[in-house]
Amino acid sequence: MNLPIQKLTILGSTGSIGVSTLDVLARHPQQFQVFALTAKQRVKELALQCQQFHPRYAVLGSQAAAEQLRTLVASDIEVLWGEEGLALVAAHEEVDTVMAAIVGAAGLLPTLAAVQAGKKVLLANKEALVMAGHLFMDEVVRAKATLLPIDSEHNAIFQCLPADYSGREKAGVRRLLLSASGGPFRTTPLSELAAMTPDQACAHPNWAMGRKISVDSATMMNKGLELIEASWLFAVDASDIDIVIHPQSIIHSLVEYKDGSVLAQLGNPDMRTPIAHALAWPERIESGVSSLDLIRIASLNFEAPDEQRFPALGLARAAATSRGDAPAALNAANEVAVEAFLNETIGFTRIAEVVDRVMQAWPLAEPRELAAVQEADKRARAMAQQVISQQVPTL
Ligand code: NAD
Ligand code: MG
């Protein structure tokens, strides 16, 4: 294969997705060149990545961290910090591809900067799309950016749709089926859920991921965010997207067509597959992922999600249906609640309760510009903090 070299910025290179991306890139030095690496505060990890990949830029979250990194890396690597640094490396004219792998709302501005600069954007940061779906997708069209999903479910759906997909009806799609593992608490007795610790919540049976998305998988808010993400990515109403629990995480999602055909994408649960797919698309490259051994796996199981066990699913579906700034509020309240859970300020089942309280009081608006989305994010965070600090009684 003789493709031109792709220059890449990796936003969030020290995280789980960032590290998997670098693992794939290291297998193809002739095809990819790392232009910029970014992290919030892990200076030592970023220094090691800089030594191995020698980017032109490295970006950190604070000036102090940036100064520390400068003492650890070659002098021709430019070290920047903060939102401006992130926006610069996301939109730089020399960059072809941006891996958006910052976790949470912090990823919105740099991811949007990459979209607005018309880059090929590999989207792992689902929160950005959940928050600002409408504006985000409008910018993709306006700037002629290429948006490729990294989330394994969305990448699977993308692979099962026709190459010229331009909407559900036209493609003859009846519905999308998002698969979900059910997380670590799928069979935990309901009476024990309130006492689950952050370490138990982060011990995912199939995937090794960052702590925020691991907690989201345990509450299944992750699937709720993915429902909203899928609805924007594929222009499909939330009512035409079903969630199916599949504990082995081998089928990553499915598309049902109106003739009854159902196409699925299968593979071992390893994020290097969707990452390699999006990096090389429309070609294919090696990812380092081993062959799927169906004989060893032997059986694939499916069940309906239990909305009593996972109230976050219903909250996300309601936000997906009302649209406006409800998804931004849902996401912000969830981020605050998950952080409070990880800090052991609130118990596990309080996460969905905090989000529920905020959503019940949320005055729905239609954000027409980014500032309105950011304002909704800020307001929902303040409301969630208030619910947590007032210890509002359990619903
Ligand atoms: P992680 O916590 O392992 O890594 C997050 C990265 O973002 C780190 O490099 C960190 O330094 C950076 N970061 C965090 N806060 C920041 C801030 N305020 N400013 C700048 N940088 C910041 O997270 P992850 O598991 O790699 O997930 C990243 C994104 O990908 C999330 O949106 C997640 O939902 C999505 N995703 C992850 C997986 C997975 O398998 N890990 C799968 C699907 C989607
Ligand atoms: Mg996913």
Side-chain angles (χ1 to χ4, degrees), residues 1 3-4 6 8 24-25 28 31-32 96-97 118-123 140 144-150 154-165 234 272-286:
M1 207 174 5
L3 297 172
Q6 271 188 62
L8 271 118
V24 176
L25 294 180
H28 306 280
Q31 235 172 297
F32 303 100
D96 305 297
T97 302
K119 303 299 182 196
K120 172 174 161 187
V121 177
L122 313 190
L123 186 72
V140 169
K144 298 193 176 68
T146 304
L147 188 61
L148 296 171
I150 293 299
H154 306 73
N155 184 272
I157 290 170
F158 181 84
Q159 293 197 46
C160 295
L161 288 171
D164 62 352
Y165 178 77
F234 306 115
R272 291 176 301 174
T273 294
I275 290 168
H277 169 265
L279 278 171
W281 178 84
E283 308 286 336
R284 297 270 177 177
I285 54 172
E286 291 282 345

Side-chain angles (χ1 to χ4, degrees), residues 20-313:
S20 293
T21 304
L22 289 173
D23 181 283
V24 176
L25 294 180
R27 296 165 194 274
H28 306 280
Q30 310 301 326
Q31 235 172 297
F32 303 100
Q33 193 179 320
V34 176
F35 183 79
L37 296 172
T38 89
K40 185 179 180 187
Q41 55 199 9
R42 293 197 185 156
V43 175
K44 283 194 189 127
E45 276 104 320
L46 192 58
L48 286 173
Q49 292 182 343
C50 285
Q51 281 157 21
Q52 189 183 349
F53 293 93
H54 212 94
R56 191 126 143 241
Y57 289 96
V59 186
L60 276 156
S62 68
Q63 188 173 7
E67 275 163 17
Q68 207 187 333
L69 185 71
R70 272 192 200 108
T71 65
L72 299 173
V73 297
S75 58
D76 59 343
I77 299 180
E78 241 183 278
V79 182
L80 309 172
W81 62 276
E83 273 177 13
E84 277 174 34
L86 288 175
L88 186 144
V89 298
H92 197 287
E93 61 177 9
E94 282 185 43
V95 171
D96 305 297
T97 302
V98 175
M99 166 57 81
I102 288 175
V103 60
L108 176 60
L109 290 181
T111 306
L112 206 52
V115 166
Q116 286 166 337
K119 303 299 182 196
K120 172 174 161 187
V121 177
L122 313 190
L123 186 72
N125 178 216
K126 68 192 84 183
E127 295 92 340
L129 189 56
V130 167
M131 286 174 76
H134 208 302
L135 302 172
F136 196 102
M137 296 310 289
D138 279 356
E139 289 299 288
V140 169
V141 174
R142 191 194 56 76
K144 298 193 176 68
T146 304
L147 188 61
L148 296 171
I150 293 299
D151 219 341
S152 55
E153 298 76 3
H154 306 73
N155 184 272
I157 290 170
F158 181 84
Q159 293 197 46
C160 295
L161 288 171
D164 62 352
Y165 178 77
S166 63
R168 187 178 75 83
E169 291 283 345
K170 212 166 149 218
V173 170
R174 189 182 281 159
R175 61 179 178 144
L176 304 181
L177 283 134
L178 274 184
S179 49
S181 68
F185 303 148
R186 183 175 60 89
T187 57
T188 307
L190 285 181
S191 59
E192 291 174 20
L193 281 183
M196 291 295 126
T197 65
D199 283 347
Q200 287 171 309
C202 290
H204 197 281
N206 307 336
W207 300 93
M209 311 181 285
R211 283 173 82 77
K212 193 262 176 181
I213 184 177
S214 296
V215 175
D216 284 348
S217 299
T219 59
M220 281 194 78
M221 180 59 90
N222 183 48
K223 211 52 54 183
L225 298 176
E226 290 182 358
L227 174 80
I228 301 170
E229 181 186 15
S231 144
W232 286 116
L233 280 174
F234 306 115
V236 171
D237 288 341
S239 55
D240 294 319
I241 306 174
D242 288 336
I243 293 167
V244 59
I245 293 199
H246 163 47
Q248 292 91 354
S249 297
I250 297 298
I251 294 183
H252 298 304
S253 278
L254 316 91
V255 175
E256 181 179 322
Y257 287 87
K258 61 184 174 191
D259 60 5
S261 298
V262 180
L263 302 194
Q265 185 258 357
L266 286 73
N268 287 320
D270 187 323
M271 290 306 293
R272 291 176 301 174
T273 294
I275 290 168
H277 169 265
L279 278 171
W281 178 84
E283 308 286 336
R284 297 270 177 177
I285 54 172
E286 291 282 345
S287 65
V289 175
S290 54
S291 283
L292 182 63
D293 185 347
L294 281 174
I295 308 288
R296 188 185 54 78
I297 294 161
S299 55
L300 302 175
N301 300 96
F302 307 95
E303 57 193 62
D306 172 351
E307 297 225 355
Q308 192 194 347
R309 176 181 294 277
F310 300 115
L313 278 178

